[in-house]
Amino acid sequence: MNSLRLDMPKTGIAWAPAACGELVEGIIDHQAFLVSCPIDLYSKAKVCLYAKDMYPHPIDCGRWPKASHAVSAALEAWQGDMWDATLEIESCIPLGKGMASSTADIGAALAATALALGLVPNPVEMTEVAVKVEPTDSTLFPELTVFDHVRGSFHKHIGKPPPLMVMVFDWGGQIASDNWYGEDSKMLPLLQQQGSLAARALHLVQQGVALGDGKVLAAGATLSAFSHQDILHKPGLESLAQCACGEGALGVTVAHSGTVAGLMFPPMEAGQIARIAGTLSNAFPDIQYLGTYHLIGGGIRW
């Protein structure tokens, strides 16, 4: 009977959200930070834990190396080296676009690991593990959060966002941003020079959340997006945003180290979304429409 019980896996399943870049990102007083723009698009992870040496094929690091690394690190940190693990991930979040695909995979895998261990997923503990794997978005917190995405040294909850929708457009290609904040990064001086703009944008986003005012939040995101054009230029972004504003958009958010931007609208019906997306796609044929999502606070689901 003991052998049968040891062969039975402890299983956890969890979902973590994507993002359409960041509402704000930058450096203030030499402190790197971001506020992610979480959307209702998810990565799903399933983790099965087996008593050590009872399962012949432990975790395969080839398919999801970052998430696999995070699971191994979490097991060591949370419950010692007692388990072999298997990991499966299902996700349709585009890769290399600045849509938090890696954070979603890692976060879902960490939450699934916690659940398999009989623990309640804790976003602080999960981000402590995640930032050791790579810079991490603030999407794992259940509210919009100011977060040190490089070292994980602090987090400050802002609150739940007002009801907004995000129409996502992609400029194409992929961008690797792992070393944007490294000491040798060419982007670092430019990011530091924009500290006052980042502070103003952050204030507007915080004010928009506090007031429940989507226009104010979108104004902060737009300020951050346009100021970042000097660092990572998205051709035609201003024209796209201006055209969208004529269709009712409140502003724009961007992936500050990615290829996508999101046009921020008040809640819309499916027919209105289709009409506006068609209008913008026809006007800007070189920029691909990826879909429209709800802006959410973030957080893990299970």
Side-chain angles (χ1 to χ4, degrees):
M1 293 294 292
N2 287 339
S3 176
L4 289 175
R5 285 197 297 269
L6 289 172
D7 284 342
M8 293 291 289
K10 296 159 64 75
T11 301
I13 299 175
W15 289 258
C20 183
E22 299 79 30
L23 297 171
V24 188
E25 181 176 330
I27 297 176
I28 300 176
D29 296 332
H30 304 288
Q31 173 64 63
F33 78 97
L34 58 68
V35 180
S36 293
C37 179
I39 56 176
D40 57 344
L41 176 66
Y42 291 85
S43 176
K44 174 187 175 182
K46 177 180 179 180
V47 171
C48 293
L49 302 180
Y50 297 82
K52 201 71 173 176
D53 301 324
M54 292 301 298
Y55 189 71
H57 303 292
I59 193 167
D60 177 7
C61 295
R63 296 184 65 187
W64 307 287
K66 293 178 180 179
S68 299
H69 181 191
V71 170
S72 297
L75 286 172
E76 183 175 350
W78 297 344
Q79 207 166 98
D81 192 21
M82 299 171 55
W83 307 98
D84 285 327
T86 62
L87 171 66
E88 298 175 20
I89 291 178
E90 299 176 18
S91 177
C92 57
I93 303 172
L95 305 178
K97 303 292 186 183
M99 295 187 68
S101 59
S102 291
T103 295
D105 287 353
I106 290 169
L110 290 173
T113 302
L115 291 167
L117 291 170
L119 305 172
V120 176
N122 182 313
V124 175
E125 293 177 353
M126 290 191 298
T127 54
E128 287 174 351
V129 174
V131 295
K132 295 177 182 177
V133 178
E134 68 165 11
T136 298
D137 296 273
S138 64
T139 47
L140 304 185
F141 295 100
E143 298 180 352
L144 296 182
T145 299
V146 187
F147 180 55
D148 174 359
H149 56 297
V150 181
R151 296 184 300 273
S153 64
F154 78 94
H155 66 278
K156 178 183 178 183
H157 297 312
I158 296 176
K160 300 289 187 181
L164 290 170
M165 302 189 82
V166 183
M167 187 173 285
V168 184
F169 284 83
D170 178 32
W171 270 251
Q174 294 185 343
I175 293 177
S177 59
D178 289 354
N179 196 40
W180 276 51
Y181 291 85
E183 293 182 359
D184 297 330
S185 170
K186 295 179 181 179
M187 305 296 180
L188 198 58
L190 294 172
L191 290 163
Q192 291 173 334
Q193 289 170 14
Q194 292 191 351
S196 60
L197 288 171
R200 175 60 180 162
L202 177 60
H203 173 74
L204 287 169
V205 168
Q206 291 174 314
Q207 188 178 37
V209 172
L211 297 174
D213 191 326
K215 291 182 180 179
V216 176
L217 184 150
T222 302
L223 175 59
S224 185
F226 286 172
S227 65
H228 204 73
Q229 285 285 79
D230 293 336
I231 297 173
L232 178 59
H233 189 69
K234 292 177 173 61
L237 175 64
E238 289 84 355
S239 297
L240 175 65
Q242 184 177 13
C243 186
C245 286
E247 298 289 343
L250 304 179
V252 61
T253 183
V254 300
H256 289 70
S257 55
T259 66
V260 297
L263 303 168
M264 309 180 76
F265 287 86
M268 299 181 290
E269 299 295 333
Q272 186 180 10
I273 292 171
R275 181 188 65 76
I276 295 173
T279 297
L280 296 176
S281 294
N282 289 332
F284 301 89
D286 294 332
I287 307 174
Q288 183 183 7
Y289 171 61
L290 298 186
T292 298
Y293 304 92
H294 291 91
L295 175 63
I296 61 174
I300 300 297
R301 296 172 56 189
W302 67 88

